Amino acid sequence: MFNTVTIVGVGLISGSFSLALKEKGLAKKVIGVSRTAASAQKALELGLIDEALPLEQAIAQSDLIYVAIPVDVTIPVMKQVMDLVTDKQIVADAGSTKHALCLALNDHPMRRQFVATHPMWGTEYSGPEAAVRDAFVGRACVICEKEKSDPAAVEKIEQVYRALGMHIIYMDADSHDTHAAYISHISHITSFALANTVLEKEREENTIFELAGGGFESTVRLAKSNPAMWVPIFMQNRENVLDVLNEHISQLRKFKACLEKENYQYLQELIENANKIKRIIK
Amino acid sequence: MFNTVTIVGVGLISGSFSLALKEKGLAKKVIGVSRTAASAQKALELGLIDEALPLEQAIAQSDLIYVAIPVDVTIPVMKQVMDLVTDKQIVADAGSTKHALCLALNDHPMRRQFVATHPMWGTEYSGPEAAVRDAFVGRACVICEKEKSDPAAVEKIEQVYRALGMHIIYMDADSHDTHAAYISHISHITSFALANTVLEKEREENTIFELAGGGFESTVRLAKSNPAMWVPIFMQNRENVLDVLNEHISQLRKFKACLEKENYQYLQELIENANKIKRIIK
């Protein structure tokens, strides 16, 4: 499908994307652009990329430029990328927020070459070593502001994500950010806060280590996530995240009130309501 | 090891325990005691038990009586069981709280036949259909008030749990309940509250269904857990759970304050602190 693809950033998402492109035969060559020589070297060693080059040289020989870096640096880097591409090239990002980026690129003369995407897959790990085979499978990929992109570019990007096993959902950038706050960003905050709670209350770390079972691990797993990725997400999606966080704190206060007042009938009802999530996730 | 074992309750824990006993050749026969005929029938069909009997008849022919039912009914049922056993029999429970039960049995004339245990394994499912093979492996089993039990009984129970792949930790009942609040009970409350948050904020359930990725599923998975099991746990461990819940709400308020004041330096520090959980869980 592509002769040469450049990935900007050589980490969890871009690395896994590159492995999938290669495995599916969708790219003959993948070039990596990285701010640090060590990451580029690691990505080469792991076979995530065939070559490491500076941004300009990489773009000059690529059909697709795929940007997957923290969302705060995405905006200036993406402007650089867009200033360098022609209408024969496609640009896509993989960022967890969409409003700020779409707004920043809205009036760029090459806007139609850009497809705003968010493949909703990830793990709590980061860097080239975090890249895995068979990522993305069975998950959703959101495409925002489809109407502002060249239809042929959108179609190619959709073909790639579908070949990777994803299903496509279309949204405007604001809706994406609202939903992402509910579905993804709040889970990370609760997990970070839960880790801090346990680290604060449970001074005997050996005991946590010995006792921690499946429930604890699954709720606290995301607390290992990288602040370099998550602080910018929370900055860019601040209002939505605050809105959901306020609701979450008020939901937790209901549990607190039940326990304080020993109102176990209401506690039962709160849990029964939570059980409705069964309808939604298997 | 045992000729006949009675499991009181035929659900997730007792059913998985029975499957493991049979697979390891630790029991020739397993009798199930259940309040409902339908569960007993299901347990028979699934091969969790060889026979279903009323409590008295079951105890009369058993070497080990293993009680795994919601912690509120555990206390009266355990008193009944203890009134029926001789000093040739061993009794153990699998409850998620230990203080109330140990207190209730403290002066029972057969106290030494009882071993208070909490195998720290579980899933969000319940009932006979939830029982699985290879449960318990690699997890901790807490034994409380070991010194109040007959050493021979403790040794047999430890042998069983070790044969199932568990490691043994000793604690007094109060310490167990404090640690269980940090490691297990708070995770369930955050997960119930997160489910309620998302169900409240996200009225488009189809969107949750389509977007939900690994992070959301892992933090909200426990929200499917059964209120019949969890309300009594929160009742019995009310003070410890309230203590951890208050800490958790105050940790979440720190995240909220960072976002409100746009103090991203402190947000970074909060996340870096949460990352320390890496030292403890792999």
Side-chain angles (χ1 to χ4, degrees), chain A residues 179 202 205 238 259 279, chain B residues 179 202 205 238 259 279:
Chain A
H179 291 301
E202 177 63 278
E205 292 193 358
R238 176 176 167 266
L259 289 170
R279 289 203 307 251
Chain B
H179 292 301
E202 176 63 278
E205 292 193 359
R238 177 175 165 265
L259 289 170
R279 288 202 307 252

Side-chain angles (χ1 to χ4, degrees), chain A residues 233-275:
Chain A
I233 291 172
F234 297 141
M235 286 173 74
Q236 288 191 7
N237 205 18
R238 176 176 167 266
E239 283 181 36
N240 287 315
V241 171
L242 262 176
D243 184 39
V244 189
L245 181 53
N246 280 327
E247 177 65 33
H248 185 55
I249 291 172
S250 93
Q251 291 291 344
L252 281 168
R253 281 213 196 95
K254 292 183 192 176
F255 282 86
K256 182 182 162 178
C258 287
L259 289 170
E260 280 174 343
K261 295 174 188 159
E262 304 192 56
N263 183 348
Y264 298 116
Q265 179 54 41
Y266 187 39
L267 183 59
Q268 169 96 15
E269 288 165 22
L270 289 176
I271 296 177
E272 282 168 357
N273 189 67
N275 284 172

